[in-house]
Amino acid sequence: MKKIFTHLTFYVFVAIIAAIVLGIAAPQTAVKMKFLGSYFIEIIKLFIVPIIFFTIVLGIAGMGNLKKVGRIGLKAVIYFELVSTFSLFIGIAVGLIFKPGHVDTSSLSIPIAKNPSSAENFSWLAFLQSNTTIQALIVAIIVGIIVNNHSKRVTIIDFLGRIAHYLFLVLKYIMYLAPLGAFGGMAFTVGKFGLATLLPLIKLVACVYGASAFFVLIVLGSILKYYGINVLHYLSAIKDEILLVLGTSSSEAALPSMMYKLEKMGCSKAVVGLVIPTGYSFNLDGTSIYLSMAVVFIAQLYQVHLGLEHLVMIILILMLTSKGAAGVTGSGFIVLTTTLSALHSIPVEGLAFLLGVDKFMSEARAITNLIGNGAATIVVSKSEKEFVSPIN
């Protein structure tokens, strides 16, 4: 019992419960707590770029064999594309089966979106310029290759390793603020939107959570089982990170500790350093489920019939545009706008219906993204025989 009160998970959980109570009892006060969650995420984000840089550089430089680096990278990319595409199918299938968009919207006072042409202003160059995660990823790969071929490789690795050690040490103490961040994020959510306001769109929220749970337990569970890992044991091992993401609605908040946890599970440092940062940019399973279901939801709201050709087009477009949903806050709406504009048949104005409940679905997206990236790291580690000790 004493061990429970010394565990950070306990305090994060207590903070989430307290936030929900405050949001219901004093919503105006709860909304003002937003700064706690926002500041905590901003502090964590300061560590994202240096952690990605050092882990990837050390991972590549420490391997010695650049062919191995290329092999791991290729395996990761292939896995990302296959699994994230499958998650798009799941989102569409759940949307078509349970029809969350077949609801009475007459009581919803939701403004029409005023910027339906924003997709025309979307630029991949601008996206790359604003996405510091991808920038750090590219620079780190280049530096890692240079260090790998340097005559003083061992000395440089030792120096960078010491810096990374102190970086994670500082982050360890900052993570003690996680309960405050979780409290602020959850209090704002409940206080701002309340519980009753979700009733007209509760079916959509339930479908997103249900599809995410199915993906994690059945799809990822089957993949992990093939590699000898019990999905429930895996989820138990990362429960701290899941609770943190639940409170902050940001998978980025758990990135540093997730990398540490995966190494502790048995994944090699080199694989973790390559797969996790790349996955945060290109392997967003939860986001893919949400995006595909959102398109179907809006089509149902406007009673737009989706034939087979429309469904194929939705998947093909989202296979490309969903990769732009990483690293930029609010980019999910840009991706949806781009997709709907490309389809022409579904009104872009329908995005306005998602504004009221998007916050409640962001937890499902972020948690699924986190779990999916961790699973990808385990799979690649296993396939490379870089997994030293099983977690089950």
Side-chain angles (χ1 to χ4, degrees):
M1 190 60 148
K2 186 182 292 184
K3 186 177 180 181
I4 295 178
F5 292 104
T6 60
H7 209 290
L8 186 62
T9 302
F10 172 76
Y11 293 100
V12 171
F13 182 74
V14 170
I16 291 174
I17 298 300
I20 293 174
V21 172
L22 179 64
I24 296 174
Q28 293 184 344
T29 302
V31 169
K32 296 177 182 179
M33 297 296 105
K34 180 182 180 181
F35 76 96
L36 290 174
S38 299
Y39 285 161
F40 176 72
I41 293 176
E42 290 304 316
I43 293 173
I44 294 297
K45 283 183 177 181
L46 294 176
F47 288 82
I48 300 301
V49 170
I51 283 176
I52 288 176
F53 177 80
F54 283 108
T55 51
I56 289 183
V57 170
L58 289 170
I60 294 176
M63 282 185 179
N65 186 353
L66 289 179
K67 288 184 179 179
K68 184 177 181 181
V69 175
R71 186 174 67 249
I72 290 175
L74 181 60
K75 282 184 179 180
V77 170
I78 293 174
Y79 176 90
F80 292 158
E81 196 59 42
L82 289 175
V83 177
S84 61
T85 300
F86 194 75
S87 65
L88 290 174
F89 279 100
I90 291 177
I92 289 179
V94 172
L96 292 176
I97 293 172
F98 293 96
K99 299 179 173 58
H102 289 184
V103 295
D104 180 13
T105 58
S106 60
S107 61
L108 298 179
S109 300
I110 301 178
I112 298 298
K114 296 181 179 180
N115 189 25
S117 62
S118 60
E120 299 175 2
N121 301 322
F122 181 77
S123 167
W124 284 104
L125 178 60
F127 166 73
L128 291 173
Q129 289 176 339
S130 63
N131 194 315
T132 55
T133 301
I134 293 182
Q135 293 172 11
L137 188 66
I138 295 173
V139 172
I141 291 174
I142 296 173
V143 174
I145 294 173
I146 293 174
V147 173
N148 187 284
N149 291 285
H150 200 279
S151 58
K152 296 184 177 180
R153 181 172 70 94
V154 177
T155 303
I156 297 175
I157 290 176
D158 181 65
F159 173 71
L160 295 178
R162 287 200 300 270
I163 296 178
H165 169 74
Y166 288 113
L167 185 67
F168 276 101
L169 186 62
V170 172
L171 187 62
K172 175 185 176 181
Y173 291 106
I174 289 179
M175 289 305 296
Y176 287 123
L177 299 175
L180 288 177
F183 175 81
M186 187 61 72
F188 170 77
T189 299
V190 178
K192 176 71 174 179
F193 301 108
L195 299 178
T197 55
L198 290 180
L199 292 178
L201 299 174
I202 195 67
K203 195 172 182 180
L204 172 62
V205 177
C207 283
V208 169
Y209 274 86
S212 299
F214 174 84
F215 176 80
V216 169
L217 297 176
I218 305 302
V219 178
L220 292 184
S222 299
I223 294 173
L224 290 175
K225 184 178 180 180
Y226 177 81
Y227 286 95
I229 300 295
N230 185 309
V231 66
L232 296 180
H233 291 172
Y234 163 59
L235 295 177
S236 177
I238 60 169
K239 60 182 181 298
D240 292 7
E241 288 68 32
I242 292 175
L243 277 174
L244 178 58
V245 172
L246 176 63
T248 62
S249 301
S250 171
S251 56
E252 286 185 338
L255 185 148
S257 59
M258 186 67 174
M259 295 177 72
Y260 170 78
K261 188 65 68 68
L262 286 168
E263 290 179 26
K264 189 176 179 181
M265 289 179 194
C267 298
S268 73
K269 188 179 185 68
V271 173
V272 172
L274 283 172
V275 178
I276 282 289
T278 308
Y280 263 71
S281 294
F282 298 104
N283 184 43
L284 302 176
D285 302 322
T287 301
S288 295
I289 290 172
Y290 163 75
L291 290 174
S292 56
M293 195 179 300
V295 173
V296 173
F297 173 76
I298 294 173
Q300 291 171 350
L301 280 178
Y302 285 90
Q303 299 180 354
V304 176
H305 174 70
L306 295 177
L308 180 60
E309 69 279 5
H310 292 100
L311 297 176
V312 172
M313 185 62 67
I314 289 172
I315 291 174
L316 291 176
I317 292 175
L318 283 175
M319 282 176 65
L320 298 174
T321 57
S322 61
K323 301 301 181 290
V328 180
T329 302
S331 61
F333 277 92
I334 296 177
V335 172
L336 282 173
T337 306
T338 304
T339 305
L340 295 179
S341 297
L343 290 170
H344 298 298
S345 57
I346 303 175
V348 180
E349 290 82 2
L351 288 174
F353 285 91
L354 300 176
L355 294 175
V357 294
D358 181 73
K359 177 65 178 175
F360 285 91
M361 293 184 287
S362 63
E363 286 87 356
R365 297 197 300 263
I367 290 174
T368 307
N369 290 341
L370 176 84
I371 296 171
N373 282 318
T377 306
I378 293 174
V379 168
V380 175
S381 294
K382 282 277 190 175
S383 66
E384 284 290 310
K385 294 181 172 56
E386 296 275 351
F387 196 87
V388 296
S389 60
I391 61 176
N392 57 333

PDB file of all heavy atoms in Angstrom, residues 89-119:
ATOM      1  N   PHE A  89      -8.843   1.669 -42.628  1.00  0.00           N
ATOM      2  CA  PHE A  89      -9.932   0.742 -42.937  1.00  0.00           C
ATOM      3  C   PHE A  89     -10.843   0.554 -41.728  1.00  0.00           C
ATOM      4  O   PHE A  89     -12.075   0.506 -41.870  1.00  0.00           O
ATOM      5  CB  PHE A  89      -9.368  -0.617 -43.371  1.00  0.00           C
ATOM      6  CG  PHE A  89      -8.931  -0.664 -44.806  1.00  0.00           C
ATOM      7  CD1 PHE A  89      -7.606  -0.536 -45.142  1.00  0.00           C
ATOM      8  CD2 PHE A  89      -9.860  -0.840 -45.824  1.00  0.00           C
ATOM      9  CE1 PHE A  89      -7.191  -0.590 -46.470  1.00  0.00           C
ATOM     10  CE2 PHE A  89      -9.466  -0.888 -47.159  1.00  0.00           C
ATOM     11  CZ  PHE A  89      -8.125  -0.766 -47.482  1.00  0.00           C
ATOM     12  N   ILE A  90     -10.244   0.439 -40.553  1.00  0.00           N
ATOM     13  CA  ILE A  90     -11.042   0.237 -39.340  1.00  0.00           C
ATOM     14  C   ILE A  90     -11.937   1.441 -39.080  1.00  0.00           C
ATOM     15  O   ILE A  90     -13.125   1.300 -38.753  1.00  0.00           O
ATOM     16  CB  ILE A  90     -10.123  -0.013 -38.127  1.00  0.00           C
ATOM     17  CG1 ILE A  90      -9.431  -1.371 -38.265  1.00  0.00           C
ATOM     18  CG2 ILE A  90     -10.922   0.045 -36.817  1.00  0.00           C
ATOM     19  CD1 ILE A  90      -8.453  -1.669 -37.159  1.00  0.00           C
ATOM     20  N   GLY A  91     -11.390   2.644 -39.217  1.00  0.00           N
ATOM     21  CA  GLY A  91     -12.174   3.854 -39.002  1.00  0.00           C
ATOM     22  C   GLY A  91     -13.362   3.937 -39.933  1.00  0.00           C
ATOM     23  O   GLY A  91     -14.489   4.263 -39.518  1.00  0.00           O
ATOM     24  N   ILE A  92     -13.145   3.619 -41.204  1.00  0.00           N
ATOM     25  CA  ILE A  92     -14.227   3.655 -42.190  1.00  0.00           C
ATOM     26  C   ILE A  92     -15.252   2.556 -41.902  1.00  0.00           C
ATOM     27  O   ILE A  92     -16.467   2.794 -41.947  1.00  0.00           O
ATOM     28  CB  ILE A  92     -13.664   3.498 -43.619  1.00  0.00           C
ATOM     29  CG1 ILE A  92     -12.918   4.780 -44.013  1.00  0.00           C
ATOM     30  CG2 ILE A  92     -14.777   3.208 -44.620  1.00  0.00           C
ATOM     31  CD1 ILE A  92     -12.292   4.731 -45.388  1.00  0.00           C
ATOM     32  N   ALA A  93     -14.767   1.362 -41.586  1.00  0.00           N
ATOM     33  CA  ALA A  93     -15.673   0.242 -41.327  1.00  0.00           C
ATOM     34  C   ALA A  93     -16.589   0.517 -40.137  1.00  0.00           C
ATOM     35  O   ALA A  93     -17.807   0.297 -40.204  1.00  0.00           O
ATOM     36  CB  ALA A  93     -14.865  -1.035 -41.082  1.00  0.00           C
ATOM     37  N   VAL A  94     -16.021   1.018 -39.045  1.00  0.00           N
ATOM     38  CA  VAL A  94     -16.826   1.328 -37.853  1.00  0.00           C
ATOM     39  C   VAL A  94     -17.828   2.430 -38.164  1.00  0.00           C
ATOM     40  O   VAL A  94     -18.982   2.384 -37.726  1.00  0.00           O
ATOM     41  CB  VAL A  94     -15.910   1.733 -36.680  1.00  0.00           C
ATOM     42  CG1 VAL A  94     -16.737   2.247 -35.498  1.00  0.00           C
ATOM     43  CG2 VAL A  94     -15.058   0.551 -36.236  1.00  0.00           C
ATOM     44  N   GLY A  95     -17.392   3.428 -38.928  1.00  0.00           N
ATOM     45  CA  GLY A  95     -18.289   4.516 -39.301  1.00  0.00           C
ATOM     46  C   GLY A  95     -19.469   4.038 -40.126  1.00  0.00           C
ATOM     47  O   GLY A  95     -20.608   4.485 -39.941  1.00  0.00           O
ATOM     48  N   LEU A  96     -19.208   3.102 -41.051  1.00  0.00           N
ATOM     49  CA  LEU A  96     -20.284   2.588 -41.912  1.00  0.00           C
ATOM     50  C   LEU A  96     -21.206   1.636 -41.166  1.00  0.00           C
ATOM     51  O   LEU A  96     -22.413   1.598 -41.427  1.00  0.00           O
ATOM     52  CB  LEU A  96     -19.662   1.867 -43.115  1.00  0.00           C
ATOM     53  CG  LEU A  96     -18.915   2.749 -44.123  1.00  0.00           C
ATOM     54  CD1 LEU A  96     -18.278   1.895 -45.209  1.00  0.00           C
ATOM     55  CD2 LEU A  96     -19.838   3.795 -44.741  1.00  0.00           C
ATOM     56  N   ILE A  97     -20.658   0.877 -40.236  1.00  0.00           N
ATOM     57  CA  ILE A  97     -21.466  -0.106 -39.506  1.00  0.00           C
ATOM     58  C   ILE A  97     -22.358   0.555 -38.457  1.00  0.00           C
ATOM     59  O   ILE A  97     -23.566   0.281 -38.364  1.00  0.00           O
ATOM     60  CB  ILE A  97     -20.564  -1.163 -38.839  1.00  0.00           C
ATOM     61  CG1 ILE A  97     -19.877  -2.016 -39.915  1.00  0.00           C
ATOM     62  CG2 ILE A  97     -21.383  -2.063 -37.909  1.00  0.00           C
ATOM     63  CD1 ILE A  97     -18.819  -2.950 -39.371  1.00  0.00           C
ATOM     64  N   PHE A  98     -21.774   1.464 -37.660  1.00  0.00           N
ATOM     65  CA  PHE A  98     -22.520   2.055 -36.542  1.00  0.00           C
ATOM     66  C   PHE A  98     -23.155   3.402 -36.882  1.00  0.00           C
ATOM     67  O   PHE A  98     -23.928   3.937 -36.091  1.00  0.00           O
ATOM     68  CB  PHE A  98     -21.596   2.192 -35.328  1.00  0.00           C
ATOM     69  CG  PHE A  98     -21.162   0.871 -34.758  1.00  0.00           C
ATOM     70  CD1 PHE A  98     -19.949   0.310 -35.111  1.00  0.00           C
ATOM     71  CD2 PHE A  98     -21.991   0.174 -33.892  1.00  0.00           C
ATOM     72  CE1 PHE A  98     -19.548  -0.919 -34.598  1.00  0.00           C
ATOM     73  CE2 PHE A  98     -21.615  -1.048 -33.373  1.00  0.00           C
ATOM     74  CZ  PHE A  98     -20.389  -1.599 -33.728  1.00  0.00           C
ATOM     75  N   LYS A  99     -22.788   3.985 -38.035  1.00  0.00           N
ATOM     76  CA  LYS A  99     -23.420   5.204 -38.545  1.00  0.00           C
ATOM     77  C   LYS A  99     -23.523   6.318 -37.491  1.00  0.00           C
ATOM     78  O   LYS A  99     -24.629   6.769 -37.145  1.00  0.00           O
ATOM     79  CB  LYS A  99     -24.812   4.887 -39.080  1.00  0.00           C
ATOM     80  CG  LYS A  99     -24.810   3.897 -40.247  1.00  0.00           C
ATOM     81  CD  LYS A  99     -26.229   3.605 -40.711  1.00  0.00           C
ATOM     82  CE  LYS A  99     -26.252   2.771 -41.972  1.00  0.00           C
ATOM     83  NZ  LYS A  99     -25.549   1.477 -41.848  1.00  0.00           N
ATOM     84  N   PRO A 100     -22.406   6.802 -36.960  1.00  0.00           N
ATOM     85  CA  PRO A 100     -22.463   7.860 -35.939  1.00  0.00           C
ATOM     86  C   PRO A 100     -23.018   9.178 -36.472  1.00  0.00           C
ATOM     87  O   PRO A 100     -23.505   9.996 -35.705  1.00  0.00           O
ATOM     88  CB  PRO A 100     -20.989   8.010 -35.524  1.00  0.00           C
ATOM     89  CG  PRO A 100     -20.213   7.536 -36.705  1.00  0.00           C
ATOM     90  CD  PRO A 100     -21.021   6.411 -37.283  1.00  0.00           C
ATOM     91  N   GLY A 101     -22.972   9.382 -37.789  1.00  0.00           N
ATOM     92  CA  GLY A 101     -23.471  10.635 -38.366  1.00  0.00           C
ATOM     93  C   GLY A 101     -24.974  10.664 -38.557  1.00  0.00           C
ATOM     94  O   GLY A 101     -25.534  11.707 -38.889  1.00  0.00           O
ATOM     95  N   HIS A 102     -25.655   9.552 -38.328  1.00  0.00           N
ATOM     96  CA  HIS A 102     -27.113   9.507 -38.427  1.00  0.00           C
ATOM     97  C   HIS A 102     -27.707   9.956 -37.101  1.00  0.00           C
ATOM     98  O   HIS A 102     -28.280   9.162 -36.356  1.00  0.00           O
ATOM     99  CB  HIS A 102     -27.590   8.101 -38.793  1.00  0.00           C
ATOM    100  CG  HIS A 102     -27.274   7.732 -40.202  1.00  0.00           C
ATOM    101  ND1 HIS A 102     -27.669   6.546 -40.780  1.00  0.00           N
ATOM    102  CD2 HIS A 102     -26.589   8.394 -41.163  1.00  0.00           C
ATOM    103  CE1 HIS A 102     -27.241   6.494 -42.031  1.00  0.00           C
ATOM    104  NE2 HIS A 102     -26.579   7.600 -42.281  1.00  0.00           N
ATOM    105  N   VAL A 103     -27.556  11.251 -36.791  1.00  0.00           N
ATOM    106  CA  VAL A 103     -28.074  11.801 -35.544  1.00  0.00           C
ATOM    107  C   VAL A 103     -28.930  13.013 -35.848  1.00  0.00           C
ATOM    108  O   VAL A 103     -28.852  13.604 -36.921  1.00  0.00           O
ATOM    109  CB  VAL A 103     -26.918  12.218 -34.594  1.00  0.00           C
ATOM    110  CG1 VAL A 103     -26.134  10.999 -34.166  1.00  0.00           C
ATOM    111  CG2 VAL A 103     -26.004  13.240 -35.260  1.00  0.00           C
ATOM    112  N   ASP A 104     -29.746  13.401 -34.874  1.00  0.00           N
ATOM    113  CA  ASP A 104     -30.585  14.582 -35.011  1.00  0.00           C
ATOM    114  C   ASP A 104     -29.748  15.809 -34.692  1.00  0.00           C
ATOM    115  O   ASP A 104     -29.390  16.055 -33.548  1.00  0.00           O
ATOM    116  CB  ASP A 104     -31.773  14.502 -34.049  1.00  0.00           C
ATOM    117  CG  ASP A 104     -32.685  15.715 -34.164  1.00  0.00           C
ATOM    118  OD1 ASP A 104     -32.537  16.474 -35.151  1.00  0.00           O
ATOM    119  OD2 ASP A 104     -33.540  15.887 -33.286  1.00  0.00           O
ATOM    120  N   THR A 105     -29.420  16.590 -35.720  1.00  0.00           N
ATOM    121  CA  THR A 105     -28.570  17.767 -35.524  1.00  0.00           C
ATOM    122  C   THR A 105     -29.361  19.064 -35.418  1.00  0.00           C
ATOM    123  O   THR A 105     -28.784  20.141 -35.402  1.00  0.00           O
ATOM    124  CB  THR A 105     -27.585  17.897 -36.704  1.00  0.00           C
ATOM    125  OG1 THR A 105     -28.336  17.997 -37.936  1.00  0.00           O
ATOM    126  CG2 THR A 105     -26.674  16.689 -36.785  1.00  0.00           C
ATOM    127  N   SER A 106     -30.707  18.954 -35.346  1.00  0.00           N
ATOM    128  CA  SER A 106     -31.534  20.162 -35.317  1.00  0.00           C
ATOM    129  C   SER A 106     -31.320  20.987 -34.053  1.00  0.00           C
ATOM    130  O   SER A 106     -31.533  22.201 -34.049  1.00  0.00           O
ATOM    131  CB  SER A 106     -33.013  19.777 -35.426  1.00  0.00           C
ATOM    132  OG  SER A 106     -33.384  18.925 -34.346  1.00  0.00           O
ATOM    133  N   SER A 107     -30.892  20.319 -32.982  1.00  0.00           N
ATOM    134  CA  SER A 107     -30.708  21.028 -31.706  1.00  0.00           C
ATOM    135  C   SER A 107     -29.292  21.552 -31.522  1.00  0.00           C
ATOM    136  O   SER A 107     -28.985  22.149 -30.504  1.00  0.00           O
ATOM    137  CB  SER A 107     -31.050  20.090 -30.544  1.00  0.00           C
ATOM    138  OG  SER A 107     -30.184  18.964 -30.547  1.00  0.00           O
ATOM    139  N   LEU A 108     -28.447  21.330 -32.510  1.00  0.00           N
ATOM    140  CA  LEU A 108     -27.055  21.758 -32.380  1.00  0.00           C
ATOM    141  C   LEU A 108     -26.872  23.144 -32.970  1.00  0.00           C
ATOM    142  O   LEU A 108     -27.075  23.357 -34.148  1.00  0.00           O
ATOM    143  CB  LEU A 108     -26.116  20.772 -33.101  1.00  0.00           C
ATOM    144  CG  LEU A 108     -26.118  19.336 -32.562  1.00  0.00           C
ATOM    145  CD1 LEU A 108     -25.160  18.488 -33.383  1.00  0.00           C
ATOM    146  CD2 LEU A 108     -25.723  19.311 -31.108  1.00  0.00           C
ATOM    147  N   SER A 109     -26.516  24.114 -32.149  1.00  0.00           N
ATOM    148  CA  SER A 109     -26.249  25.473 -32.619  1.00  0.00           C
ATOM    149  C   SER A 109     -24.762  25.599 -32.909  1.00  0.00           C
ATOM    150  O   SER A 109     -23.999  26.137 -32.122  1.00  0.00           O
ATOM    151  CB  SER A 109     -26.680  26.493 -31.550  1.00  0.00           C
ATOM    152  OG  SER A 109     -28.051  26.364 -31.271  1.00  0.00           O
ATOM    153  N   ILE A 110     -24.385  25.098 -34.053  1.00  0.00           N
ATOM    154  CA  ILE A 110     -22.965  25.083 -34.410  1.00  0.00           C
ATOM    155  C   ILE A 110     -22.742  25.974 -35.620  1.00  0.00           C
ATOM    156  O   ILE A 110     -23.416  25.830 -36.646  1.00  0.00           O
ATOM    157  CB  ILE A 110     -22.484  23.654 -34.725  1.00  0.00           C
ATOM    158  CG1 ILE A 110     -22.710  22.770 -33.506  1.00  0.00           C
ATOM    159  CG2 ILE A 110     -21.028  23.636 -35.133  1.00  0.00           C
ATOM    160  CD1 ILE A 110     -22.326  21.330 -33.716  1.00  0.00           C
ATOM    161  N   PRO A 111     -21.807  26.920 -35.547  1.00  0.00           N
ATOM    162  CA  PRO A 111     -21.566  27.814 -36.664  1.00  0.00           C
ATOM    163  C   PRO A 111     -20.955  27.090 -37.855  1.00  0.00           C
ATOM    164  O   PRO A 111     -20.258  26.100 -37.705  1.00  0.00           O
ATOM    165  CB  PRO A 111     -20.575  28.829 -36.075  1.00  0.00           C
ATOM    166  CG  PRO A 111     -19.863  28.065 -35.008  1.00  0.00           C
ATOM    167  CD  PRO A 111     -20.890  27.157 -34.421  1.00  0.00           C
ATOM    168  N   ILE A 112     -21.250  27.601 -39.035  1.00  0.00           N
ATOM    169  CA  ILE A 112     -20.666  27.044 -40.247  1.00  0.00           C
ATOM    170  C   ILE A 112     -19.213  27.484 -40.358  1.00  0.00           C
ATOM    171  O   ILE A 112     -18.856  28.618 -40.068  1.00  0.00           O
ATOM    172  CB  ILE A 112     -21.453  27.526 -41.495  1.00  0.00           C
ATOM    173  CG1 ILE A 112     -22.891  27.024 -41.413  1.00  0.00           C
ATOM    174  CG2 ILE A 112     -20.796  27.044 -42.770  1.00  0.00           C
ATOM    175  CD1 ILE A 112     -23.006  25.515 -41.403  1.00  0.00           C
ATOM    176  N   ALA A 113     -18.360  26.569 -40.789  1.00  0.00           N
ATOM    177  CA  ALA A 113     -16.937  26.909 -40.943  1.00  0.00           C
ATOM    178  C   ALA A 113     -16.776  28.030 -41.941  1.00  0.00           C
ATOM    179  O   ALA A 113     -17.399  28.051 -42.996  1.00  0.00           O
ATOM    180  CB  ALA A 113     -16.174  25.677 -41.425  1.00  0.00           C
ATOM    181  N   LYS A 114     -15.930  28.996 -41.592  1.00  0.00           N
ATOM    182  CA  LYS A 114     -15.773  30.187 -42.420  1.00  0.00           C
ATOM    183  C   LYS A 114     -14.576  30.108 -43.373  1.00  0.00           C
ATOM    184  O   LYS A 114     -14.349  31.017 -44.150  1.00  0.00           O
ATOM    185  CB  LYS A 114     -15.616  31.422 -41.527  1.00  0.00           C
ATOM    186  CG  LYS A 114     -16.848  31.709 -40.683  1.00  0.00           C
ATOM    187  CD  LYS A 114     -16.641  32.958 -39.849  1.00  0.00           C
ATOM    188  CE  LYS A 114     -17.880  33.269 -39.017  1.00  0.00           C
ATOM    189  NZ  LYS A 114     -17.725  34.486 -38.191  1.00  0.00           N
ATOM    190  N   ASN A 115     -13.822  29.055 -43.286  1.00  0.00           N
ATOM    191  CA  ASN A 115     -12.627  28.983 -44.118  1.00  0.00           C
ATOM    192  C   ASN A 115     -12.535  27.644 -44.848  1.00  0.00           C
ATOM    193  O   ASN A 115     -11.600  26.891 -44.668  1.00  0.00           O
ATOM    194  CB  ASN A 115     -11.372  29.186 -43.256  1.00  0.00           C
ATOM    195  CG  ASN A 115     -10.117  29.343 -44.095  1.00  0.00           C
ATOM    196  OD1 ASN A 115     -10.190  29.760 -45.245  1.00  0.00           O
ATOM    197  ND2 ASN A 115      -8.977  28.990 -43.516  1.00  0.00           N
ATOM    198  N   PRO A 116     -13.515  27.361 -45.708  1.00  0.00           N
ATOM    199  CA  PRO A 116     -13.523  26.077 -46.377  1.00  0.00           C
ATOM    200  C   PRO A 116     -12.428  25.927 -47.405  1.00  0.00           C
ATOM    201  O   PRO A 116     -12.149  24.828 -47.853  1.00  0.00           O
ATOM    202  CB  PRO A 116     -14.905  26.038 -47.043  1.00  0.00           C
ATOM    203  CG  PRO A 116     -15.248  27.474 -47.250  1.00  0.00           C
ATOM    204  CD  PRO A 116     -14.674  28.190 -46.094  1.00  0.00           C
ATOM    205  N   SER A 117     -11.807  27.004 -47.795  1.00  0.00           N
ATOM    206  CA  SER A 117     -10.774  26.936 -48.825  1.00  0.00           C
ATOM    207  C   SER A 117      -9.381  26.859 -48.252  1.00  0.00           C
ATOM    208  O   SER A 117      -8.403  27.018 -48.962  1.00  0.00           O
ATOM    209  CB  SER A 117     -10.874  28.158 -49.748  1.00  0.00           C
ATOM    210  OG  SER A 117     -10.661  29.351 -48.999  1.00  0.00           O
ATOM    211  N   SER A 118      -9.264  26.620 -46.916  1.00  0.00           N
ATOM    212  CA  SER A 118      -7.947  26.616 -46.295  1.00  0.00           C
ATOM    213  C   SER A 118      -7.036  25.541 -46.860  1.00  0.00           C
ATOM    214  O   SER A 118      -5.827  25.639 -46.790  1.00  0.00           O
ATOM    215  CB  SER A 118      -8.081  26.425 -44.774  1.00  0.00           C
ATOM    216  OG  SER A 118      -8.723  25.202 -44.494  1.00  0.00           O
ATOM    217  N   ALA A 119      -7.624  24.492 -47.428  1.00  0.00           N
ATOM    218  CA  ALA A 119      -6.808  23.429 -48.008  1.00  0.00           C
ATOM    219  C   ALA A 119      -5.986  23.939 -49.176  1.00  0.00           C
ATOM    220  O   ALA A 119      -4.909  23.426 -49.465  1.00  0.00           O
ATOM    221  CB  ALA A 119      -7.716  22.288 -48.470  1.00  0.00           C
TER     222      ALA A 119
END
